[in-house]
């Protein structure tokens, strides 16, 4: 049995959150443990998404769970984005800030699972929003720079 571990969430002001992440090239047990730890950490803090740089790892991977089950993707690319939606976002790295952000209403990602198999995932509404928010983290971008109206 693998013992899961909570990781420290980096907060806004930590420069690691502003850096561009590197592609994952090795799909090993270390990556699997990272993804498990990220999911555990996200759930512990009642988040709906968490990207690797938020736990101090500059790798292109994130986990999402909007209440419909666990989704994880490595080296994601947005291959389709359609429509638009405006809705409220928050971030575990930016406590106590909430604001409206415009996102595509429908997003399709291509990437890899933890074993290096190619996957494609689509989401609409909240799921599409979560994908875009986490994807931005991989490029060193925070939602606070996209807020239309702070709540
Ligand atoms: Co975030």
């Amino acid at each position: 049995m693998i013992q899961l571990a909570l990781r420290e969430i980096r907060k806004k002001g930590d420069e690691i959150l502003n850096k561009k992440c590197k592609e994952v090239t090795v799909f090993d047990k270390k990556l699997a443990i990272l993804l498990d730890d990220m999911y555990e950490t996200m759930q512990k803090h009642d988040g709906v998404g968490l990207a690797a740089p938020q736990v101090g790892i500059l790798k292109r991977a994130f986990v999402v769970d909007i209440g419909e089950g666990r989704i994880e993707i490595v080296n994601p690319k947005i291959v389709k984005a359609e429509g638009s939606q405006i809705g409220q976002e928050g971030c575990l790295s930016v406590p106590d800030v909430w604001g409206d952000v415009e996102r595509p209403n429908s997003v399709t990602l291509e990437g890899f699972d933890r074993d290096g198999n190619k996957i494609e995932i689509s989401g609409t509404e909240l799921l599409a929003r979560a994908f875009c928010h986490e994807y931005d983290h991989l490029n060193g971008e925070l939602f606070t720079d996209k807020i239309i109206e702070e709540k």
Side-chain angles (χ1 to χ4, degrees), residues 49-51 54 90-94 133-134 137 141-143:
L50 195 71
Q54 292 183 272
C91 180
L92 294 177
S93 292
V94 194
H133 179 114
E134 302 313 325
H137 275 298
E141 297 172 11
L142 295 177
F143 85 108

Side-chain angles (χ1 to χ4, degrees), residues 112-130:
F112 298 87
D113 68 13
R114 60 171 60 196
D115 300 314
N117 301 304
K118 206 168 181 197
I119 55 170
E120 184 183 292
I121 316 169
S122 295
T124 61
E125 299 174 15
L126 179 58
L127 191 54
R129 173 174 301 285

Side-chain angles (χ1 to χ4, degrees), residues 28-151:
D28 58 2
K29 192 171 177 189
K30 199 173 163 192
L31 175 67
I33 290 170
L34 170 65
L35 290 166
D36 286 340
D37 286 355
M38 283 166 58
Y39 187 73
E40 184 83 354
T41 303
M42 180 192 84
Q43 286 210 306
K44 174 83 178 170
H45 294 277
D46 296 319
V48 297
L50 195 71
Q54 292 183 272
V55 293
I57 307 291
L58 285 170
K59 290 193 180 309
R60 302 188 74 82
F62 65 70
V63 296
V64 164
D65 190 341
I66 61 163
E68 297 174 352
R70 174 174 176 167
I71 294 171
E72 58 186 36
I73 188 163
V74 178
N75 298 343
K77 286 191 169 59
I78 296 175
V79 293
K80 200 158 97 180
E82 290 177 333
S84 87
Q85 56 168 325
I86 292 173
Q88 190 169 277
E89 289 184 25
C91 180
L92 294 177
S93 292
V94 194
D96 305 322
V97 176
W98 299 85
D100 281 346
V101 178
E102 184 173 5
R103 301 287 190 186
N105 194 54
S106 168
V107 167
T108 299
L109 301 175
E110 276 181 12
F112 298 87
D113 68 13
R114 60 171 60 196
D115 300 314
N117 301 304
K118 206 168 181 197
I119 55 170
E120 184 183 292
I121 316 169
S122 295
T124 61
E125 299 174 15
L126 179 58
L127 191 54
R129 173 174 301 285
F131 286 163
C132 292
H133 179 114
E134 302 313 325
Y135 183 84
D136 280 353
H137 275 298
L138 306 184
N139 294 323
E141 297 172 11
L142 295 177
F143 85 108
T144 44
D145 292 326
K146 299 186 172 183
I147 289 178
I148 297 165
E149 190 181 347
E150 194 165 323
K151 300 282 170 174

